[in-house]
Amino acid sequence: MAGRRPLRRSAAGAIVAILAAIVLAADQYVKHLTIENLPKHEAVPVLGDFLQLYYVRNSGAAFSIGSNMTWIFTIALAVVAGVIVWKTLAVHSRLWAIVLGALLGGVLGNLTDRLLREPGFGVGHVVDMISMPWMLPAIFNVADIFIVTGMISVALLVVLGLRLDGTREHDRAEAVSSVDPSDDAPGRADAAASAGS
């Protein structure tokens, strides 16, 4: 990120908000098309067995885990969304703003389902429709894609040492190690001179 000025907080917040809104809109639009056009529990081949559309309603998490504890996932999604918004206040990095915006959009996509879809507020079932049976037994949606890629991207940024403010871990370490201990020599000399007098 050398040579690029850090983002202002307002600019970073705008990037996060715009990306989140785009991802949320795309997710909900695909879910709308799914509900209106696909039969439930019936595979519709797109690329043979490589990619299929398969409309299901999921009350649990991935692989239908915790299907009887839907409200817990609603709370978890709300907490994650809140943490992302809170972290956005410290973001001055373009990469972090992009990653957090995409991740927030994915979280809000599934949270919207939990809050507004049947069977009721807070316990709504998430609409899933993408199936790749050769790779995963799970059926997922657009929001899931952005959540998974967002979490992987967050892990990569942390491993690479890129901070939310746009600085890097090794740059900060070099700045600390480059402080010359001899810079304090005049102060010590003055103190010695005054002691000798």
Side-chain angles (χ1 to χ4, degrees), residues 93-103 145-162 164:
S93 160
R94 289 168 182 81
L95 274 177
W96 270 110
I98 292 169
V99 168
L100 290 181
L103 179 58
I145 294 172
F146 281 95
I147 290 172
V148 172
T149 56
M151 293 303 296
I152 292 172
S153 299
V154 166
L156 286 174
L157 291 179
V158 171
V159 169
L160 293 174
L162 181 63
L164 291 171

Side-chain angles (χ1 to χ4, degrees), residues 45-172:
V46 177
L47 294 173
D49 291 333
F50 180 84
L51 175 63
Q52 300 175 345
L53 297 179
Y54 196 99
Y55 171 27
V56 295
R57 298 271 189 139
N58 186 3
S59 60
F63 306 102
S64 297
I65 296 172
S67 57
N68 295 323
M69 298 182 292
T70 305
W71 61 273
I72 292 179
F73 300 115
T74 303
I75 294 172
L77 286 169
V79 169
V80 171
V83 169
I84 294 172
V85 171
W86 173 58
K87 287 294 184 182
T88 298
L89 299 177
V91 170
H92 295 281
S93 160
R94 289 168 182 81
L95 274 177
W96 270 110
I98 292 169
V99 168
L100 290 181
L103 179 58
L104 179 60
V107 170
L108 291 177
N110 283 343
L111 180 58
T112 299
D113 284 11
R114 297 297 187 195
L115 295 176
L116 302 180
R117 295 197 187 278
E118 296 177 352
F121 182 82
V123 292
H125 295 179
V126 172
V127 175
D128 291 330
M129 78 295 293
I130 303 171
S131 175
M132 303 177 76
W134 62 274
M135 183 177 69
L136 288 172
I139 301 170
F140 52 97
N141 56 44
V142 173
D144 294 331
I145 294 172
F146 281 95
I147 290 172
V148 172
T149 56
M151 293 303 296
I152 292 172
S153 299
V154 166
L156 286 174
L157 291 179
V158 171
V159 169
L160 293 174
L162 181 63
R163 295 172 175 264
L164 291 171
D165 62 5
T167 61
R168 294 184 181 273
E169 293 284 354
H170 67 81
D171 292 339
R172 190 163 295 190

Side-chain angles (χ1 to χ4, degrees), residues 186-197:
R188 290 197 298 272
D190 292 342
S194 61
S197 62

